[in-house]
Amino acid sequence: MKPPRAWQRMLSGRRLDLLDPTPMDIEVEDIAHGLAFVARWNGQTKGDFAYSVAEHSLLVEALFRRMWPSARPAELLTALLHDAPEYVIGDMISPVKAAVGPDYGKLDERLTAAIHIRFGLPAATPVRLKQRIKKADKVSAWMEATQIAGFTEAEASRFFGRPKPEVIEGLDIVLRPPVEARNEFTARHAALLAAI
């Protein structure tokens, strides 16, 4: 019996093997395009456009930069790419990840390693950096929950913790067409890569 297909053809023409991804099959344009069309919150957000993982990634990187102003470009790039595997596996909410089990985590790790190596980052994110990115991610989740996902501030604070006002000051979530999020993600990636 023929095994099921475990690769995806990307718009760049690359063929990404999900079971054995290689850095040579990773292109930032594919990542940016895919993330710009993957909706966070299972699409349950206010507005005329879905809130994409590309938008979320840009917000997390901006928050990370505010929270750790002395962060090096490689650390900022790691923050920008923290959800990059979702360009092919989608954004699963935590309950779905739990239902899928440990295989989801293994797939995410394989893709992350290939993506990181492709852009000159360590295959595995150092623990301290991962913890810092997670803190920025939680601030992002609080902002998203209260601004576009219908949570009250009290409810969002129970799940994600209330962020310091100075961290989120002046940052608002503005939903926009996927092409705009894709282009900004690609531009930010290029700027950070050039700074490394």
Side-chain angles (χ1 to χ4, degrees):
M1 186 170 185
K2 187 177 177 182
R5 178 172 66 92
W7 57 267
Q8 180 176 350
R9 177 73 61 200
M10 310 311 292
L11 286 179
S12 65
R14 300 281 189 193
R15 185 174 126 160
L16 182 65
D17 183 341
L18 299 178
L19 298 177
D20 187 23
T22 66
M24 293 299 296
D25 293 322
I26 306 293
E27 297 292 343
V28 70
E29 292 81 7
D30 292 332
I31 294 171
H33 183 82
L35 294 183
F37 283 92
V38 173
R40 288 211 12 114
W41 302 92
N42 276 353
Q44 298 300 306
T45 52
K46 300 173 186 174
D48 294 329
F49 297 102
Y51 181 68
S52 72
V53 176
E55 293 278 15
H56 165 75
S57 298
L58 288 162
L59 179 58
V60 168
E61 190 266 331
L63 289 164
F64 183 87
R65 198 173 345 118
R66 283 182 173 203
M67 295 166 78
W68 289 278
S70 62
R72 298 183 316 272
E75 294 170 323
L76 297 172
L77 182 59
T78 304
L80 180 69
L81 295 171
H82 79 284
D83 280 340
E86 294 179 9
Y87 85 109
V88 287
I89 59 177
D91 180 37
M92 289 191 212
I93 59 174
S94 297
V96 175
K97 288 178 185 176
V100 171
D103 287 342
Y104 176 87
K106 291 176 187 173
L107 175 58
D108 186 86
E109 286 172 12
R110 284 194 302 268
L111 287 164
T112 296
I115 291 164
H116 282 194
I117 292 168
R118 171 66 174 89
F119 301 116
L121 300 171
T125 304
V127 173
R128 186 166 180 238
L129 177 56
K130 194 171 201 167
Q131 291 169 341
R132 287 180 169 187
I133 292 170
K134 188 65 183 167
K135 286 181 182 179
D137 198 26
K138 286 185 115 180
V139 173
S140 173
W142 187 91
M143 290 178 66
E144 294 164 17
T146 58
Q147 291 184 30
I148 59 171
F151 285 55
T152 64
E153 288 192 8
E155 185 180 29
S157 296
R158 273 198 313 277
F159 288 109
F160 310 113
R162 182 178 291 276
K164 294 178 182 176
E166 62 271 17
V167 172
I168 61 173
E169 184 180 354
L171 288 177
D172 290 309
I173 295 172
V174 179
L175 301 179
R176 56 189 170 161
V179 66
E180 293 179 21
R182 179 185 69 202
N183 292 344
E184 186 177 335
F185 185 97
T186 305
R188 186 65 185 145
H189 177 272
L192 290 170
L193 203 56
I196 293 177

